[in-house]
Amino acid sequence: MAVSVFEVIGYLAVGVYTLKLLNGVFNRFLKGGVKPTAYGKWAVITGATDGIGKAMSFEFAKKGMNILLISRTQSKLDLVAKEIVEKFPGVETETLAVDYSNFDDDKIEKVRSALEKLGGDFGVLVNNVGMSYDFPLYFHELTDQKTMDLLNLNVTSTTVMTRLALPIFLAKEGKKKGAIVNIGSYAGLYPSPLLAEYSAAKSYVEKLSNSLYYEYKDQGIDIQCHSPLYIVSKMSKFKKSTLFIPSAEAYAKTVLSLLGGNAVVSGHWLQSIATFGVIDYIPQSILMAKTKSMHLSIRKKGFRKLEREKDAKKTQ
Ligand SMILES: NC(=O)c1ccc[n+]([C@@H]2O[C@H](COP(=O)([O-])OP(=O)(O)OC[C@H]3O[C@@H](n4cnc5c(N)ncnc54)[C@H](OP(=O)(O)O)[C@@H]3O)[C@@H](O)[C@H]2O)c1
């Protein structure tokens, strides 16, 4: 029986999709992550006092890693450090207050010397700090300050921290010299109208990580980008977890379970299926029309909330 060209194309398409799916299932469920202690005793986590960064600090501590917590507010850092030590006796913590919106030479030197002090025990860097818009806006509506903050917190922090870590990792002996986990976003994998700069910044994080993965893999350094959809946190404004929106704690577990794996992963398994198994196959014009209309509606609500807040202030 003759097989038509269309049938051959159909079989090929199904074959490619099935292979991609099997590869995804293997990497997520069967391969297993590298134990963080294989890289060294200390994990350095940015944006470690809330949301995903805080949850990851606990998860790394649970695996026996000492944690250097970095974020903006010293009082919050002290609190998280205390909570970790109480929950995981034997784990050591250090804290460093750094504001990445102004990561100047002095602060860079402060971080460099803290990392050099860890030396060969420095095993994992998690570049988690980042920020998005308060609500979706047209690009011209962003303030100049917000435009710079989005670059500094997402792009500069990840770039500089990675450059501070690499020489320390490279100076080490052994097969697993270090791991770098960069927290990107689903918004960095696809265009995101009305979140354009966040999307572009996270796309940079994804491309940097993906290239560095191949650049350093054979030198014993595992570099990875996580590109999740929504996670419960202050930033996302989601307060309760659902099947598709995991808690920061559940998400942190998946980050650990995928350590040292593929260059770009989506994190939570259902989000991974949604991203790489479904969304990837939706025509971009349809996906963008839906995304834009959703963001326009959130923008409207955002402005309404601002108005309500202004009115409330006036009546005070
Ligand atoms: N939540 C989501 O749905 C989601 C989805 C995709 C990607 N992500 C990414 O995940 C990462 C973490 O987000 P999150 O939702 O966990 O955020 P979050 O709950 O708002 O926590 C932000 C953390 O960053 C610190 N931070 C904020 N501004 C800082 C600054 N200028 N300098 C230093 N530290 C600063 C905060 O500490 P202080 O309070 O002390 O400043 C806090 O520890 C971000 O890169 C984000 O883009 C999140």
Side-chain angles (χ1 to χ4, degrees):
M1 195 175 72
V3 180
S4 76
V5 176
F6 294 114
E7 280 175 303
V8 172
I9 292 171
Y11 288 135
L12 277 176
V14 171
V16 168
Y17 186 83
T18 309
L19 276 179
K20 206 178 153 188
L21 201 69
L22 288 176
N23 184 38
V25 170
F26 171 75
N27 282 310
R28 174 153 298 271
F29 298 110
L30 304 175
K31 205 168 152 195
V34 176
K35 271 191 187 162
T37 44
Y39 297 104
K41 283 189 207 155
W42 281 83
V44 176
I45 302 175
T46 68
T49 47
D50 250 317
I52 298 170
K54 180 177 177 186
M56 274 196 294
S57 304
F58 277 79
E59 205 52 36
F60 274 99
K62 192 174 166 186
K63 303 279 179 201
M65 297 287 279
N66 298 322
I67 317 289
L68 170 56
L69 305 144
I70 307 182
S71 66
R72 189 169 37 180
T73 320
Q74 188 61 53
S75 55
K76 286 171 77 180
L77 284 165
D78 292 341
L79 208 65
V80 175
K82 187 167 162 269
E83 281 177 41
I84 290 177
V85 174
E86 277 169 8
K87 193 160 182 191
F88 306 106
V91 164
E92 288 176 47
T93 55
E94 298 269 352
T95 63
L96 204 57
V98 174
D99 184 348
Y100 285 103
S101 62
N102 178 22
F103 200 26
D104 59 18
D105 288 350
D106 283 352
K107 291 190 194 102
I108 292 174
E109 283 318 307
K110 194 167 122 182
V111 176
R112 191 197 305 278
S113 95
L115 300 186
E116 282 175 356
K117 213 173 108 196
L118 301 179
D121 288 334
F122 178 18
V124 182
L125 167 66
V126 183
N127 283 314
N128 164 74
V129 76
M131 69 176 290
S132 183
Y133 296 23
D134 297 329
F135 57 85
L137 288 172
Y138 283 99
F139 189 47
H140 72 272
E141 293 173 330
L142 288 174
T143 62
D144 291 344
Q145 186 59 52
K146 191 80 176 175
T147 313
M148 291 318 292
D149 285 349
L150 280 159
L151 286 177
N152 287 331
L153 263 82
N154 295 300
V155 173
T156 309
S157 68
T158 304
T159 308
V160 177
M161 289 299 293
T162 300
R163 282 178 54 78
L164 294 176
L166 283 172
I168 302 174
F169 290 161
L170 287 168
K172 288 163 73 171
E173 301 288 336
K175 281 189 181 159
K176 290 283 171 206
K177 293 179 180 167
I180 301 178
V181 177
N182 293 326
I183 305 298
S185 167
Y186 159 83
L189 300 177
Y190 306 96
S192 194
L194 284 96
L195 288 180
E197 193 178 345
Y198 181 64
S199 170
K202 290 301 192 184
S203 181
Y204 170 91
V205 172
E206 187 263 316
K207 283 286 172 287
L208 181 75
S209 314
N210 212 344
S211 299
L212 294 181
Y213 169 90
Y214 293 101
E215 220 169 290
Y216 289 100
K217 187 93 191 145
D218 56 0
Q219 297 184 61
I221 302 170
D222 294 326
I223 296 162
Q224 189 175 46
C225 177
H226 274 258
S227 301
L229 280 142
Y230 291 115
I231 312 288
V232 172
S233 82
K234 274 187 193 153
M235 181 196 278
S236 70
K237 300 185 182 78
F238 283 105
K239 293 191 169 77
K240 277 192 182 156
S241 61
T242 65
L243 202 57
F244 273 99
I245 304 173
S247 66
E249 292 73 24
Y251 182 68
K253 273 194 188 13
T254 70
V255 173
L256 266 288
S257 74
L258 297 169
L259 190 67
N262 282 9
V264 181
V265 286
S266 177
H268 184 253
W269 68 277
L270 265 174
Q271 293 192 349
S272 187
I273 292 175
T275 305
F276 299 116
V278 181
I279 296 169
D280 247 4
Y281 295 91
I282 300 174
Q284 186 151 308
S285 55
I286 295 174
L287 186 64
M288 287 306 111
K290 183 78 200 135
T291 308
K292 187 170 177 184
S293 87
M294 184 176 82
H295 285 172
L296 279 170
S297 140
I298 305 174
R299 173 178 172 275
K300 222 184 214 173
K301 285 183 196 149
F303 277 124
R304 270 198 227 123
K305 188 168 172 240
L306 281 186
E307 284 304 316
R308 278 199 305 275
E309 284 169 359
K310 257 193 216 162
D311 292 345
K313 262 191 194 156
K314 269 186 217 160
T315 53
Q316 267 171 14

